[in-house]
């Protein structure tokens, strides 16, 4: 155990923490490929700044592998395949293992058909969608992704105070002439993780993103743990929540209805996800260089827009994440003491010592 | 001219007003097919309750046909085609004529490949996306659509007070065991048409959906006509506008970047649209009956959710539109006196008398 401060971040070399996480996964039975993917795509979440879906989730993944909620080896089952699309059953293999494979398959289909679409049922928790986007953008392709959770109900449809939907992430990746555009967002006003974080920090949410059993929109995070609890509101809130509600319905239909695997089948599946992913080959629609010129023009137009606050330049989705990854690869990945304590628990569980802490240059 | 009240709605038989609109379009040079489509899909907007994109837009369409901004005959050009996708140049044919053809082509591709995707540049104004959705859902297919407008800048990216994006609609259609789910919404907080309506009615917007040149979020609709004007805010507003901004960017990239036809090429194209549409064949991913059971389960779950206001049952996207269409087909299509006056101008322009007004049963 490293002797660590209660407040200062801990830094560790990316390669070291990757190797450690891989060894942890292998120690609980994951085969080589599964262990490698778990380490790579959880770490990628940390590198890009999606801390709630980074190695903080290693412990959950290890527990699932140990107790059989995740399969430790094997391959997804192809349920159906037609030229440009396929439907897979991940059979509770880690989403971290299955999604990169699915993106690969979708890229191959996009090359021959223009688009490639894979829907996947029963992928054990997929963590952050952002972590996978560059698998497509690095090949010059566009990608869109949805994930839903048949075992969860947390988001109320507009006009209701009862949770029906899961809090579904949506992500896109688009190559440009410079850095890719990477967007990963939830379609609800906020996510359960952010509400729990507010509770832990004893502060209200910055906006009224919850609906109480009385039907009031509130920023009081503690209502989320009350009995009965509040539920997550759809993007758009009190005035325009029908838009966010419609978008969440979009994500539920494109995942659960299309895969024929929804709440009727998967209500006991815990955090397992149903996933939609689609890769597009821009050269099937036009000219690849022309496409990159257009996407770059979009990026440039956003960066050139007059900011509301002169000290806050307008940002392009993904730019902070990409800068943070570059910095952390060079200077070390940073963890809060709270997350580091979770990693220490994994180290004990697996009997694999955490790597050396480094000092920030 | 019918002698009409200044306040009471005017009712007219759907078949009569369709024939009238068709004859008007033909009188300004549209060939038979183009005229037929213009009448059908503008009227469909009225039937479904999308009044701002119904026959109110006939006059604009007629003017475009008369002065050559719209092509009155001919076919879209296929620029590129690969198994599951194609890119078309509508050559400024009316979107009302080209979109149904594109959906047909996408359905054929979906049948053989699982998905069919068409992007279209230079479609003259497409009116309401909702009007086209049933072309796919009636065949048991799912559809998603985006439209953008290279000649327009009206929506500010999050963090900015300068318009970069056009106010882009997004629509989906999904069959169920009963009525289809039909969603058609703008990805900005509000649309220019709604702001102009508020100005005409001398009332503020119901929420702060505009950003002033000073960078303030405001509900004051009149700022939209000031010099310099306010701009439309992204869905999510002051707190969560990065989500709506990301979604609008999604729609701009999937239309303009993919078609290689954005603001660099189309800034002088007026209201002409770039369109993305994708049809999915659920039977390529799983079982069609199972799919319909799932989409119906989604619909039922929403309808069963406890409403915030017991007098306002939770609604499913499209249910009001479908009910209104049924009612108007039975009882007559209703027009406000203001819209009727626009139709009277069309009647004069074309020398085609408006049909008999009917009294509501």
């Amino acid at each position: 155990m490293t002797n660590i401060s209660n407040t200062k971040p801990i830094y560790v070399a990316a390669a070291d923490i990757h190797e450690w996480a891989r060894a942890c996964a292998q120690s609980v039975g994951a085969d080589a490929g599964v262990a490698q993917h778990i380490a790579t795509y959880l770490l990628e979440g940390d590198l890009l700044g999606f801390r709630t879906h980074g190695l903080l989730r290693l412990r959950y993944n290890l527990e699932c592998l140990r107790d059989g909620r995740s399969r430790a080896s094997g391959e997804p089952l192809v349920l159906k395949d037609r030229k440009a699309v396929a439907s897979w059953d991940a059979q509770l293999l880690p989403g971290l293992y299955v999604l990169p494979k699915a993106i690969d398959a979708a890229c191959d289909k996009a090359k021959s058909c223009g688009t490639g679409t894979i829907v996947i049922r029963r992928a054990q928790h997929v963590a952050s969608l952002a972590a996978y986007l560059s698998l497509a953008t690095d090949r010059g392709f566009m990608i869109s992704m949805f994930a839903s959770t048949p075992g969860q109900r947390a988001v109320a449809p507009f006009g209701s105070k009862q949770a029906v939907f899961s809090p579904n992430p949506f992500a896109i990746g688009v190559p440009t002439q410079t850095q890719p555009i990477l967007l990963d967002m939830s379609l609800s006003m906020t996510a359960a993780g952010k509400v729990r974080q507010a509770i832990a920090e004893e502060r209200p949410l910055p906006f009224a993103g919850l609906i109480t059993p009385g039907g009031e929109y509130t920023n009081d995070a503690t209502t989320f743990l009350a009995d009965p609890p509040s539920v997550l509101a759809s993007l758009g809130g009190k005035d325009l929540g029908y838009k966010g509600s419609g978008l969440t319905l979009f994500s539920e239909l494109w995942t659960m209805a299309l895969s024929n695997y929804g709440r009727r089948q998967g209500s006991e599946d815990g955090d397992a996800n149903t996933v939609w992913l689609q890769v597009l080959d821009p050269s099937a629609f036009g000219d690849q260089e022309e496409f990159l010129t257009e996407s770059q023009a979009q990026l440039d137009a956003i960066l050139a827009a007059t900011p509301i606050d002169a000290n806050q330049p307008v940002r392009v989705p993904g730019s902070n994440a990409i800068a943070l990854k570059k910095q952390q690869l060079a200077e070390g990945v940073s963890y809060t003491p709270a997350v580091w304590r979770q990693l220490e628990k994994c180290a004990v569980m697996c009997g694999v010592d955490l790597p050396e802490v480094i000092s920030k240059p």
Side-chain angles (χ1 to χ4, degrees), chain A:
Chain A
M1 296 292 109
T2 321
N3 199 350
I4 57 167
S5 139
N6 265 324
T7 51
K8 281 191 201 155
I10 292 99
Y11 293 88
V12 65
D16 293 350
I17 195 78
H18 181 275
E19 171 51 26
W20 170 79
R22 195 199 59 70
C24 285
Q26 219 159 3
S27 82
V28 293
D31 80 5
V34 170
Q36 179 77 18
H37 279 74
I38 288 177
T40 300
Y41 293 99
L42 285 181
L43 177 58
E44 186 72 7
D46 284 329
L47 288 172
L48 294 169
F50 290 81
R51 308 283 185 186
T52 51
H53 293 78
L55 282 175
L56 176 59
R57 301 304 302 258
L58 178 64
R59 194 172 160 201
Y60 175 78
N61 272 272
L62 297 174
E63 286 169 355
C64 285
L65 285 164
R66 207 178 45 180
D67 67 18
R69 274 178 289 163
S70 285
R71 278 163 58 101
S73 63
E75 295 301 327
L77 213 63
V78 177
L79 299 174
K80 201 116 181 185
D81 193 285
R82 190 191 291 178
K83 287 180 192 157
V85 314
S87 182
W88 289 9
D89 183 347
Q91 303 183 93
L92 297 176
L93 279 160
L96 296 152
Y97 177 67
V98 174
L99 262 58
K101 281 190 179 278
I103 292 173
D104 256 9
C107 286
D108 289 346
K109 285 178 178 292
K111 253 189 177 165
S112 90
C113 298
T115 60
T117 309
I118 317 279
V119 295
I120 310 163
R121 59 167 78 166
R122 299 202 302 158
Q124 195 49 275
H125 191 257
V126 301
S128 70
L129 298 185
Y132 308 101
L133 300 172
S134 62
L135 292 171
T137 58
D138 283 352
R139 296 170 67 169
F141 294 155
M142 303 162 87
I143 182 169
S144 67
M145 301 177 80
F146 280 132
S148 63
T149 313
Q152 275 181 27
R153 290 176 181 274
V155 181
F158 185 63
S160 168
K161 57 187 182 181
Q162 187 183 348
V164 169
F165 306 130
S166 45
N168 300 341
F170 163 68
I172 59 169
V174 179
T176 72
Q177 290 171 329
T178 55
Q179 64 182 27
I181 294 165
L182 305 177
L183 174 72
D184 179 351
M185 54 179 255
S186 72
L187 293 170
S188 40
M189 283 186 84
T190 188
K194 289 187 181 177
V195 180
R196 285 192 209 102
Q197 203 174 342
I199 296 169
E201 293 168 11
E202 297 183 338
R203 57 173 175 77
L205 294 174
F207 46 81
L210 296 166
I211 303 172
T212 68
E216 299 294 324
Y217 281 77
T218 183
N219 65 357
D220 179 357
T222 64
T223 60
F224 197 62
L225 297 185
D227 184 21
S230 59
V231 297
L232 303 176
S234 294
L235 178 63
K238 202 170 183 168
D239 293 310
L240 295 167
Y242 68 94
K243 298 197 181 203
S245 191
L247 289 164
T248 302
L249 180 58
F250 172 36
S251 68
E252 300 242 320
L253 292 164
W254 260 242
T255 53
M256 293 194 274
L258 208 50
S259 70
N260 296 179
Y261 197 86
R263 297 207 166 77
R264 293 183 312 128
Q265 297 86 356
S267 66
E268 305 299 319
D269 285 0
D271 283 348
N273 295 123
T274 310
V275 178
W276 147 279
L277 63 91
Q278 182 168 75
V279 171
L280 300 135
D281 178 359
S283 74
F285 294 86
D287 177 77
Q288 182 75 13
E289 288 310 311
E290 198 58 29
F291 168 80
L292 294 174
T293 307
E294 279 304 318
S295 61
Q296 183 68 41
Q298 282 282 359
L299 188 152
D300 292 342
I302 293 171
L303 291 178
T306 314
I308 289 177
D309 175 349
N311 299 315
Q312 295 257 331
V314 183
R315 291 195 287 117
V316 173
S319 57
N320 278 11
I322 290 164
L324 186 64
K325 179 178 174 179
K326 199 174 159 191
Q327 187 194 339
Q328 291 193 103
L329 284 177
E331 301 181 0
V333 192
S334 77
Y335 291 97
T336 62
V339 173
W340 193 255
R341 279 191 290 275
Q342 292 297 315
L343 302 190
E344 287 178 334
K345 285 180 186 164
C346 296
V348 171
M349 183 201 303
C350 300
V352 184
D353 284 346
L354 273 162
E356 286 285 308
V357 164
I358 58 178
S359 48
K360 200 180 175 205

